[in-house]
Amino acid sequence: MTDTPRSAGRKTIRPTLKPRDLMTDQPELAGVWTAQVLTLLPEAFPGILGESLLGRALKDDLWQLNVTDLRHYGEGKHRNVDDTPAGGGAGMVLRADILDRALHDVRAGSRGRNPLIYLTPRGRPMTQGLMQKLAASDGVTLLCGRFEGVDERVIEAHDMIEVSLGDFVMTGGEIAAMALIDATVRLIPRVLGNQASVEEESFSHGLLEHPQYTKPAVWNGRAIPEVLLSGHHAKITDWRRAQAERLTKERRPELWRAYCAVHGRDPDEDTEL
């Protein structure tokens, strides 16, 4: 018995230099937030993005994913897209001329505000503030690097924004691209279905999120804090804020200092437990 493959949602893979209307039988969706991804591993998408709430939102056309295979812009019999580093060194570098052709083709139909981002360890860190800005745009174009990276000239020519998932090196930018899309798409109205959960989570107010509890009331001798069972909403709000401040001060002192600066507070003050 053969399992019926599940749909991964609305995804367009751009294989050639043909006009975009001839590339796919799936039309561009007007007014829908669109993630355009340029990668050497198009089969990696949508991956986790096609599952759960984001996958459902993709199928329901709340957002759109377009994937471009960079290999189709390569040269020669083997569709080469890279070459050895100028000046010598290990590895291979993605060529500026190859990427330029792909970017001009993909970006030709971009609407409104559609920032171009290159995923690289040397970029600015991903933050909730960045995701909020991207969610408020019309979409984003993501370039996934491979090998030793990308020719600096194409980064400069296209004024790319360099963004990093963290202070570590990965084999490529695909996982970082998925993380960025996930963190951004979930902020689009109607994707999660409960906007309050987005407003109360970590980083939304400059603080880490407070601890969460649910049934049973006592588990392995550990009880839910009494205040959360009191029904006193003002006290619950105060407790959660105090816990968020405590956790932020203990675990992310740089966030705590920034939060205190915005609110005119002393970062060395004691936080009530």
Side-chain angles (χ1 to χ4, degrees), residues 181-203:
I181 294 171
D182 183 296
T184 302
V185 170
R186 64 189 304 278
L187 300 177
I188 296 174
R190 295 171 53 206
V191 169
L192 292 189
N194 184 359
Q195 195 62 25
S197 66
V198 173
E199 296 169 356
E200 295 174 1
E201 61 196 9
S202 288
F203 309 113

Side-chain angles (χ1 to χ4, degrees), residues 127-146:
T127 63
Q128 190 71 4
L130 174 61
M131 305 310 170
Q132 290 168 343
K133 291 180 180 178
L134 294 178
S137 68
D138 297 292
V140 64
T141 301
L142 304 175
L143 172 60
C144 301
R146 279 269 144 187

Side-chain angles (χ1 to χ4, degrees), residues 63-236:
W63 70 286
Q64 183 172 221
L65 174 64
N66 295 335
V67 182
T68 295
D69 185 352
L70 287 172
R71 190 67 66 182
H72 289 288
Y73 292 86
E75 294 185 344
K77 177 181 178 181
H78 300 291
R79 295 289 184 181
N80 294 325
V81 297
D82 57 356
D83 212 322
T84 55
M92 304 291 281
V93 177
L94 291 175
R95 289 172 42 169
D97 54 346
I98 301 294
L99 293 177
D100 182 66
R101 288 200 296 270
L103 286 168
H104 276 298
D105 185 46
V106 169
R107 304 271 290 171
S110 296
R111 312 178 312 275
R113 293 175 297 163
N114 190 293
L116 171 57
I117 292 177
Y118 168 44
L119 287 312
T120 169
R122 76 179 193 184
R124 58 181 284 193
M126 293 187 191
T127 63
Q128 190 71 4
L130 174 61
M131 305 310 170
Q132 290 168 343
K133 291 180 180 178
L134 294 178
S137 68
D138 297 292
V140 64
T141 301
L142 304 175
L143 172 60
C144 301
R146 279 269 144 187
F147 317 122
E148 293 302 311
V150 169
D151 190 307
E152 188 72 17
R153 293 170 296 180
V154 75
I155 297 175
E156 296 170 350
H158 287 266
D159 195 23
M160 297 183 193
I161 302 169
E162 298 183 59
V163 174
S164 171
L165 182 60
D167 293 337
F168 47 85
V169 179
M170 304 175 72
T171 56
E174 286 75 18
I175 293 176
M178 290 183 187
L180 185 148
I181 294 171
D182 183 296
T184 302
V185 170
R186 64 189 304 278
L187 300 177
I188 296 174
R190 295 171 53 206
V191 169
L192 292 189
N194 184 359
Q195 195 62 25
S197 66
V198 173
E199 296 169 356
E200 295 174 1
E201 61 196 9
S202 288
F203 309 113
S204 294
H205 301 286
L207 297 170
L208 299 181
E209 188 177 22
H210 55 78
Q212 296 282 8
Y213 300 87
T214 188
K215 296 178 180 178
V218 179
W219 173 77
N220 280 5
R222 300 171 183 267
I224 294 175
E226 290 186 12
V227 65
L228 298 179
L229 305 177
S230 69
H232 196 301
H233 297 297
K235 289 184 178 179
I236 292 173

Side-chain angles (χ1 to χ4, degrees), residues 6 8 43-56 58 63 65 174-183:
R6 293 182 298 163
E43 65 279 3
F45 293 86
I48 192 64
L49 301 174
E51 303 294 332
S52 190
L53 295 176
L54 265 65
R56 185 183 310 161
L58 185 60
W63 70 286
L65 174 64
E174 286 75 18
I175 293 176
M178 290 183 187
L180 185 148
I181 294 171
D182 183 296

